[in-house]
Amino acid sequence: ARRQVWFIDADGGEPYPAPAVEGNVQSAAWSPDGSAIAIVATNDVHKRDVARRGWRRIVKMRYRADGAGFLDDLPQLWLVDLVAGAARAITDGAAWIGSPAWSRDGATVAYVGEHRPEADTLWRTELWTVAAKGSAAPRKILTLGGAVEAPAWHPDGSRIYFVGFVDPRGYAVAPLRLFVTPSDTGDARCITAGSQWVCGNHVLNDLDATGAASAPVVLDDGA
């Protein structure tokens, strides 16, 4: 059975499902007004192909990331309209995507992605946005040679904060810093470059790996 999003009233009662998406749900983010959900889900088409033929070809090292599995399939972003009872796929499963974040007005979803065929880490390097309504294609805001993770919107929608690092090699585990960019251009600026602290504590060992970076918390006054 595939893992999907279900609801249950806070006062109890029978659980009921959200409109189904293809694949196993990894994470979900409510829109501010509760009328929609951004869902990250991973299909298992290639995984089933591997099981059927009995072998897989490994061409990258990132499958060795503990807990992530062989990564035969990549996640997709879905937007689920709870009012209309419909779900639509935003991405096509050809990129490593994650961390959907709604703007305060519920009009736009930001997410991170990695489309480079040669990429061989679990970091993403791209920041994207997509309109929650309509059929407009996603828009790439920026690419960093390093990492772009965990976006969070300024309350007025003018800026997006995110956690990441810049490294010319594009794969090293450098100290994670806090960045900000206008939400309509790719002019990223590190706002903690001189700080001794880093954004998060990430560990990879023989037993497990920490998750993605935690998103910044932006207060109502923009702080």
Side-chain angles (χ1 to χ4, degrees), residues 92-105:
D92 58 6
W96 183 270
I97 62 95
S99 300
W102 291 85
S103 59
R104 292 286 182 96
D105 62 4

Side-chain angles (χ1 to χ4, degrees), residues 49-71:
D49 287 343
V50 168
R52 183 166 52 249
R53 67 175 178 259
W55 60 270
R56 59 166 49 87
R57 183 186 180 198
I58 301 296
V59 296
K60 295 182 179 179
M61 285 294 293
R62 69 181 177 188
Y63 86 95
R64 297 293 299 274
D66 298 310
F70 281 97
L71 307 178

Side-chain angles (χ1 to χ4, degrees), residues 84-180:
R88 66 185 175 104
I90 301 301
T91 61
D92 58 6
W96 183 270
I97 62 95
S99 300
W102 291 85
S103 59
R104 292 286 182 96
D105 62 4
T108 311
V109 176
Y111 64 96
V112 295
E114 176 60 275
H115 283 79
R116 295 178 302 150
E118 72 276 12
D120 201 15
T121 77
L122 295 179
W123 297 114
R124 277 67 65 99
T125 61
E126 306 157 357
L127 177 64
W128 293 74
T129 61
V130 63
K133 302 289 186 180
S135 58
R139 178 185 179 191
K140 184 164 70 171
I141 303 300
L142 61 84
T143 300
L144 284 186
V148 176
E149 298 289 342
W153 288 82
H154 189 278
D156 65 10
S158 65
R159 300 185 291 283
I160 300 174
Y161 299 90
F162 64 89
V163 174
F165 62 82
V166 177
D167 186 280
R169 294 165 293 178
Y171 66 88
V173 181
L176 291 172
R177 303 297 186 187
L178 183 63
F179 289 77
V180 64

